[in-house]
Amino acid sequence: QRAEIGVTGLAVMGRNLARNFARHGHVVAIHNRTYAKTQALLDEAGDEGTFIASESMADFVATLERPRKVIIMVKAGPGTDAVIEELAGLLEEGDIIVDAGNAHFPDTVRREKELAERGLHFVGSGVSGGEEGALNGPSIMPGGSRESYESLGPLLEDISAKVDGVPCCTYVGPDGAGHFVKMVHNGIEYADMQLIAEAYDLIRRGTGKSPAEIAAIFREWNSGELESFLIEITAEVLAQDDARTGKALVDVILDQAEQKGTGRWTVQNALDLGVPITGIAEATFARALSGGVPQREAARAALPAGTVEWHVDDPDAFVEDVRRALYASKVVAYSQGFDQIAAASQEYGWGVDRGAMARIWRGGCIIRARFLNRITEAYERDEQLPLLLADDFFVDVVSQCLEAWRRVVAGAAQNGIPTPAFSSSLAYYDGVRADRLPAALIQGLRDFFGAHTYRRTDADGTFHTEWGADRSETAVDGGFT
Ligand code: 6PG
């Protein structure tokens, strides 16, 4: 008997993916650098399906049917190259290597190219949903050649989460597209979490409610339009008491947010592409600020708040305002993320279908949410939609939230409560909808000090004012820039 698919790297994600395949009736080859982990899987879950265990990579490869499909689930980084190299030496033309870790997409582009030259398919695949998702149905974002998807796709779709019977897995696009889309998913995940954290902080400081009381609010929000995995687990975390002190757990967790790098990569790439993903960037920087211990100590000791004590007159109305501010800011964050996917798809020639991405994020992944259906529908209405925020449905949402959003951001500013994601999302909203932006003045200044030229509203071409001489204007036509 041969295995339909192999998994190497049996830490918790790899192990759970392997079990998921086995539970779906697929024969799974398993391998790990040290055999102990392989044995542990067999001991604990060997009866869930058919596993073929191997001690050596060569034996592992030999147990697979052709074209061989091997999923690598190792920590992203140089270790991945070593595993790929070892595997590639044992595989034959047409075989498929799947990197299901959180690799940085430029690495995936490089690896795909190198392996294609050796006749192998390399599939960089995003997998979201954590341990639980890997076992019970993740959202899967595979890139690589279309040809590889023909034999690999059905297997991945089979183990993915399903929403209304539709798999949360689809072909994303060539080479780095799958890992890119997963990276942006994580960027949105950062923004979502920051927005939730700001909402919690505002309610707590505005109304004096306890974490347990705020947990109840999130539970209620989760039965409405904000329904999502992250809102659901926020209620869980806020309701949790600390066994050691009896306090709310959230009050004893150190307030320094860490990251493994996908948010940072998202922002770095957005800077390269010139896409304003301000919500995601603020969320990423907010984590950095929280971890800047010496800076926070110096600031805490020296900087006044300059605020008056805050009274929220009507706590229920305030909570509803915060809910609306959260919803509107969330729409902005997703709109920005989808903008980035569009820009990257254009720049790297990937042809990513944004509606399909929203569809496969409806289930299985960390940002799964009821409103992703609405995003899919928006792209079904207009595949080329230039701005998600400007789709009719989201125009309605934001219009209904706008007054509350402004009240919340203004109140937060007046009361010294940091809301970087709420505030920057609102600033983006006002910026992107503005008739005129002060960018005109920036162009004037650039022309003044560096003859960088400007374009006019009323004539074609490029112009320069002779600032140091008689201030007459000359048409430059592509000159100085
Ligand atoms: C997922 C998650 C996952 C990611 C964690 C941690 O989709 O399952 O995005 O891939 O590793 O969320 O990310 P940070 O450590 O960067 O917060």
Side-chain angles (χ1 to χ4, degrees), residues 102 127-130 182 185-186 189-190 258-262 287 366:
N102 270 334
V127 176
S128 177
K182 174 58 174 32
H185 163 284
N186 281 27
E189 175 184 303
Y190 281 39
E258 298 171 15
Q259 64 159 309
K260 291 200 277 293
T262 44
R287 289 195 189 189
I366 303 295

Side-chain angles (χ1 to χ4, degrees), residues 200 204 210-211 237-238 240 242 245 247-255:
Y200 148 75
R204 187 150 189 200
S210 70
V237 174
L238 288 177
Q240 183 65 42
D242 173 41
T245 58
K247 293 183 188 166
L249 181 63
V250 72
D251 285 340
V252 297
I253 295 179
L254 196 66
D255 61 343

Side-chain angles (χ1 to χ4, degrees), residues 436-470:
R436 287 273 300 158
L437 286 168
L441 175 57
I442 291 171
Q443 286 296 79
L445 295 171
R446 292 177 67 244
D447 190 56
F448 187 103
F449 65 65
H452 293 301
T453 76
Y454 50 86
R455 285 174 293 146
R456 297 184 56 100
T457 56
D458 55 1
D460 289 338
T462 309
F463 299 89
H464 167 60
T465 290
E466 301 295 343
W467 296 101
D470 64 356

